[in-house]
């Protein structure tokens, strides 16, 4: 250590040059590094889709879903498999384990499992497809409006999409509300029947007339000539003029008995409305953790300004089109980081004011150099590791500000004290480095150890908050290096001896004398008083509510609505129109954007999206502010309850933290659908009766009607017909037979052959539909089938292979999830549920438990490091126990602080407590270190304790004041996410620092008596 102190003073120029270069690098990095609002979550969620046309849910469950679940559950990286099986399709959501960060390899193993399962599928089931980017969040969403024809809007949106692909860092660009496209051939059935034409014959002839067939090549001299026969349709007119051979051998153009047009796909899948206007959206997703979203937004707007006026040049039909911004994340990133950067600068100013108020000009100037220096160096190192600047990283810097100058304060005070004792400036600096390099190293190490659980925690919550321990730990390590190198160099140049360190009053030393006197004269009473305060604070915990994460600070709400299973998209659209009109009449509503048939884009990282379903819709509402959010939610709930009782409506604010479907969620398991339905209704009734529950619902579903046609195989065979002929006759009357692709444009368009009525074909007339037999001519469907109406399950849901239904609800703003669950659990325990029913809890309870478990799993590593540094410093279990005593002393401030500020206990206050563990032990370390120094000099224990308290009171109070000062902008910020954490640290640190000056010396007086007597 002697050599290190001498080396620091010898290499002043090198040390200062490196420090300045790193600081400049950090300043440049702060202005140029990539930016986004929130951290990126690894792609741990994926959706597998398996179409199975014509199959009911039970058949798909048996023939497809079971095989997929069994194979995927054997993949070691998979945590949860959830499936929803509906008519014609199976949807399987796969979630990877929290510890998985190499998601690409994990998804590759899932795909291999899918391939194995597909070998067991029936031939009619399509191959499964996997979307492993479910959580990709939109950077910008644009709306193309101005025309009633959705095809025109889609063409313009596709052109814009193509041009925007030239921008850097694009991950994907998709269209929202794309109507799709198909070429429809609608047959006049009466004419076709008179001419003896069957749908099968037409489909066969149309397919033969529309093929891509190579003509081969010829060699002409030394040149190869490609022969290209025109064997496919190139225009609609060509299709209309296609000759169709009649059974008698005559030819007739298709257009004489069928209408041919190009239009939106049928049935319609989803629609998008921008402020009441039909629109097609452009959803732009940038590469996460690799994009400066602020700069990307500027580039995008520049490109759109150039592109929009040119739309008319590309197509005259685009003349009246508009391109508007629906969601523009770059603006929110800029606003959020600007506000937090302001808080960062304000925290620096407040800390500097505190320093100059308590330390005087020279000492303050020396210490204040560390503040911008370490902050800039921290940013430089953070940027070198390829990290992105987002709100969590800036929050970490703000928390670190007040802590990172603690080491500088202690060493500067020590240097000044030695100068006052008559040492030269070089001697004072060198002796202070030698004296404090161990204690400050131990103090810094213990603080770093406290953040290790946060650093190592896995899962969504750990991923969301990881930048906090990264920035704080980097700042602390750099502050220790700066305190041992830069600070002594500057102090040796600028500090001068003076009669007293204090320049603005002697009250800290007076307080130190009082604390030292009580600790030595009445140690037992002081210790008991501290224990009593700790007990009272824990008693007050009953008045602290629990909340996992608060709501977001956005003037946006989401109104999700669901209609009964089987509802067609046009009816869902009519309900969306009614809700949108009601919202537009609300004085607190500024804009409404509607998505019908799906949930729209993932415009915010926390918004859960539902799969495409014609009975679902989502309205995203922009309001007058956070209070307006609550008023609009209350009004639209009341409106829906009075006017639309058949609609399941869920209106809620955006939330923070890992996404969850609902704060209250109860899962009901049973393999038999009847007991499952009974139990689900019982749980649903119990949840609805709990105060604080709103928008209660379950996903059991009432089922959907279906008409089953039992084909009489023997009769059909007599007519020379197969079952497939009968099924194709039905398909041709409804959605239509696909007879090929129209490839005249940029993308192939399916050609559908159907009846003139299509999906609106009268159900009562199906019995008279003709099925054409080559031998017997048209045969009525009623002669070939027996039909009956039946009720089939709307959807079958599994979780990890077990059938379940989920009952969930939102919360009244005046309640938290623990209050509801505390009232719900006893009720559910008293229910007489059917035998074999199992209950499990999800929602905030599950997510909070997982987050806490992730921290508890890694907590032993942090505790081990903390004890390592303490034992390395003191080599005494008694002293380590005394240091650890400061942790419960912090509770004296944390719990009353949360109660007084009306802040719920959630993950943010928990982060604050973790930070406190590392901060509060520092005061005890430096205090006990001075006591040991006095004892080594032969001082009696009482004198050593009094001297240590008097000498360390001022640095302890000053470091506490700077830490609290740095957190004040965060505590009084207008956000909901960070004030609870800031108040937990402020109140806990204030109480712990004060009690440390009394309780720790008193404990030393009691516990170190034997050592002092032995010495």
């Amino acid at each position: 250590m002697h050599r290190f102190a001498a080396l620091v003073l010898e290499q002043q120029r090198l040390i200062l040059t490196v420090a300045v270069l790193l600081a400049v690098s950090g300043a440049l990095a702060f202005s140029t590094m990539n930016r986004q609002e929130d951290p990126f979550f690894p792609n741990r969620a994926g959706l597998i889709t398996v179409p199975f046309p014509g199959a009911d849910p039970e058949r798909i469950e048996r023939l497809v879903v079971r095989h997929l679940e069994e194979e995927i559950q054997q993949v070691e990286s998979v945590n949860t498999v959830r499936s929803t099986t509906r008519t014609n399709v199976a949807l399987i959501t796969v979630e990877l384990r929290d510890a998985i960060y190499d998601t690409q390899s994990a998804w590759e193993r899932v795909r291999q499992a899918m391939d194995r399962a597909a070998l067991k599928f029936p031939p009619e089931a399509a191959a499964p497809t996997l979307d492993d980017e479910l959580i990709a969040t939109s950077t910008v969403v644009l709306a193309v409006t101005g025309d009633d024809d959705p095809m025109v809007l889609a063409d313009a949106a596709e052109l814009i999409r193509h041009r925007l692909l030239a921008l850097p860092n694009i991950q994907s660009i998709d269209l929202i509300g794309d109507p799709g496209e198909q070429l429809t051939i609608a047959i006049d059935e009466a004419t076709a029947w008179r001419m003896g034409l069957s749908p099968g014959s037409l489909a066969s002839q149309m397919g033969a007339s529309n093929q891509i067939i190579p003509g081969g090549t010829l060699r002409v001299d030394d040149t190869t000539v490609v022969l290209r026969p025109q064997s496919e349709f190139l225009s609609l007119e060509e299709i209309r003029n296609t000759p169709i051979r009649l059974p008698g051998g005559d030819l007739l153009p298709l257009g004489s008995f069928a209408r041919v047009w190009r239009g939106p796909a049928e049935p319609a899948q989803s629609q998008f409305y921008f402020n009441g206007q039909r629109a097609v959206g452009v959803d732009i997703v940038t590469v996460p953790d690799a994009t400066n979203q602020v700069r990307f937004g500027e580039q995008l707007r520049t490109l759109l300004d150039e592109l929009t006026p040119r739309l008319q040049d590309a197509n005259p039909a685009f003349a009246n089109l508009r391109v508007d911004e629906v969601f523009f994340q770059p603006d929110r990133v800029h606003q959020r980081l600007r506000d937090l950067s302001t808080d960062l600068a304000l925290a620096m100013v407040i800390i500097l004011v505190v320093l100059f108020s308590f330390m005087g000009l020279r000492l303050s100037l020396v210490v204040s150099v560390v503040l911008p220096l370490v902050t800039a160096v921290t940013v430089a190192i953070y940027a070198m590791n390829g990290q992105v600047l987002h709100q969590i990283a800036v929050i970490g810097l703000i928390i670190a500000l007040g802590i990172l100058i603690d080491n500088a304060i202690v060493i500067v005070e020590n240097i000044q004290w030695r100068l006052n004792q008559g040492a030269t400036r070089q001697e004072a600096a060198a002796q202070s480095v030698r004296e404090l390099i161990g204690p400050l190293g131990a103090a810094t190490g213990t603080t770093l150890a406290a953040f290790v659980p946060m650093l190592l925690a896995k899962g969504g919550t750990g991923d969301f908050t990881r930048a906090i321990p990264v920035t704080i730990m980097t700042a602390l390590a750099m502050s220790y290096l700066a305190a041992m190198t830069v600070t002594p160099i500057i102090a040796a140049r600028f500090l001068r001896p003076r009669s007293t360190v204090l320049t603005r009053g002697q009250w800290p030393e007076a307080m130190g004398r009082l604390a030292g006197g009580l600790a030595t004269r009445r140690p037992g009473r002081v210790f008991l008083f501290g224990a009593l305060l700790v007990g009272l604070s824990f008693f007050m915990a009953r008045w602290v509510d629990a909340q996992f994460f608060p709501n977001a600070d956005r003037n946006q709400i989401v109104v999700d609505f669901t209609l009964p299973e089987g509802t067609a998209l046009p009816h869902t659209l009519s309900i969306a129109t009614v809700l949108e009109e009601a919202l537009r009449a609300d004085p607190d509503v500024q804009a409404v954007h509607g998505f019908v048939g799906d949930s729209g884009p993932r415009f915010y990282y926390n918004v859960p999206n539902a799969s495409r379903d014609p009975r679902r819709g989502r309205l995203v509402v922009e309001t007058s502010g956070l209070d307006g959010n609550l008023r609009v939610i209350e009004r639209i709930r009341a409106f829906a309850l009075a006017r639309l009782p058949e609609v399941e409506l869920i209106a809620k604010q955006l939330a923070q933290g890992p996404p969850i479907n609902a704060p209250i969620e109860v899962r009901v398991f049973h393999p038999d659908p009847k007991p499952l339905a009974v139990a689900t209704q019982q749980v649903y009734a119990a949840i609805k009766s709990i105060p604080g529950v709103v928008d209660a619902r379950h996903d059991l579903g009432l089922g959907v009607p279906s008409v089953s046609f039992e084909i009489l195989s023997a009769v059909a065979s007599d007519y020379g017909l197969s079952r497939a002929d009968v099924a194709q006759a039905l398909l041709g009357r409804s959605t239509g037979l696909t007879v090929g692709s129209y490839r005249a444009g940029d993308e192939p368009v399916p050609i559908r052959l159907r009846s003139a009525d299509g999906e609106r074909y009268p159900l009562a007339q199906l019995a008279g539909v003709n099925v054409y037999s080559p031998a017997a001519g048209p045969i009525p469907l009623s002669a070939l089938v027996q039909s009956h109406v039946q009720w089939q399950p709307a959807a079958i849901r599994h979780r990890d292979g077990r059938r379940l239904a989920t009952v969930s609800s939102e919360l009244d703003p005046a309640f938290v999830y623990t209050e509801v669950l505390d009232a719900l659990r006893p009720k559910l325990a008293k229910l007489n549920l059917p035998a074999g029913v199992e209950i499990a809890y999800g929602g905030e309870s599950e997510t909070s438990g997982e987050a806490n478990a992730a921290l508890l799993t890694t907590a032993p590593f942090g505790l081990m490091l903390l004890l390592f540094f303490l034992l390395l410093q003191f080599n005494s279990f008694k002293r380590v126990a005394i240091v650890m005593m400061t942790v419960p002393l912090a509770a004296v401030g944390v719990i009353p602080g949360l109660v007084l500020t009306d802040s719920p206990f959630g993950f943010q206050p928990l982060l604050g407590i973790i930070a406190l563990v590392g901060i509060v032990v520092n005061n005890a370390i430096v205090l006990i270190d001075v006591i040991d120094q006095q004892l080594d000099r032969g001082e009696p224990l009482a004198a050593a304790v009094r001297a240590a308290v008097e000498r360390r009171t001022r640095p302890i109070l000053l470091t506490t004041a700077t830490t609290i000062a740095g957190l004040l902008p965060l505590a009084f910020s207008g956000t909901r996410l960070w004030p609870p954490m800031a108040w937990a640290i402020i109140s806990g640190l204030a109480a712990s620092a004060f009690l440390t000056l009394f309780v720790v010396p008193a404990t030393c007086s009691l516990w170190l008596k034997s050592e002092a007597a032995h010495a």
Side-chain angles (χ1 to χ4, degrees), residues 207-226:
S209 301
N210 183 42
Q211 301 180 38
I212 299 178
I213 302 175
T217 60
L218 291 176
R219 180 176 297 174
V220 180
D221 296 330
D222 295 331
T223 304
T224 299
V225 178
V226 178

Side-chain angles (χ1 to χ4, degrees), residues 619-639:
L619 301 175
V620 180
V621 185
E622 297 182 9
T623 72
S624 57
L626 299 182
D627 293 333
N629 287 350
L630 298 177
R631 291 192 293 268
V632 173
I633 288 174
E634 183 178 352
R635 291 171 191 146
I636 196 62
R637 277 177 179 157
F639 175 85

Side-chain angles (χ1 to χ4, degrees), residues 552-570:
D553 307 307
R554 291 199 180 198
N555 63 326
Q556 291 174 317
I557 65 170
V558 171
V559 180
D560 288 327
F561 59 95
T562 306
L563 281 76
E565 289 277 0
T567 301
L569 188 73

Side-chain angles (χ1 to χ4, degrees), residues 879 924-937 939-941 944-949 952 1000-1001 1004-1005 1008:
R879 286 164 175 77
I925 290 173
V926 295
L927 188 61
I928 296 174
D929 180 67
V930 177
I931 292 175
D932 286 341
Q933 291 178 26
Q934 298 296 321
L935 291 175
D936 290 342
R937 293 172 183 164
E939 295 286 340
L941 178 60
V945 168
R946 284 195 298 270
V949 176
R952 288 303 185 200
V1000 170
C1004 289
S1005 298
L1008 301 182

Side-chain angles (χ1 to χ4, degrees), residues 457-511:
K458 307 295 184 182
T461 306
D463 298 332
F464 185 74
T465 58
R466 182 159 294 111
I468 291 179
V470 168
T471 51
I472 292 178
M473 294 174 76
T474 304
L476 287 175
M478 294 304 101
S479 74
Y480 176 69
L481 289 177
M484 294 297 106
T485 56
V486 177
T487 302
I489 293 172
I490 299 175
R493 288 175 176 266
F494 293 100
L495 295 187
R496 300 287 186 273
R498 56 182 181 175
S499 58
T500 176
V501 175
L502 295 173
T503 61
R504 298 185 182 272
Q506 301 289 332
W507 67 268
E509 290 186 339
M511 182 177 176

Side-chain angles (χ1 to χ4, degrees), residues 326-375:
V326 186
F327 307 114
F328 202 81
Q329 185 64 16
D331 281 350
R332 295 190 177 273
V333 174
H334 176 70
Q335 180 68 36
R336 176 73 70 183
L337 294 182
R338 185 182 65 182
D339 292 346
L340 288 174
S341 298
T342 301
D343 289 343
L344 181 67
L346 182 59
M348 284 189 177
V349 171
I350 296 174
I351 291 172
L352 292 176
V353 170
V354 172
L355 288 176
F356 281 96
S357 299
F358 286 90
M359 296 190 72
L361 181 61
R362 286 184 179 272
L363 289 175
S364 300
L365 286 174
V366 174
V367 173
S368 62
V369 170
V370 173
L371 199 59
L373 173 65
V374 173
T375 303

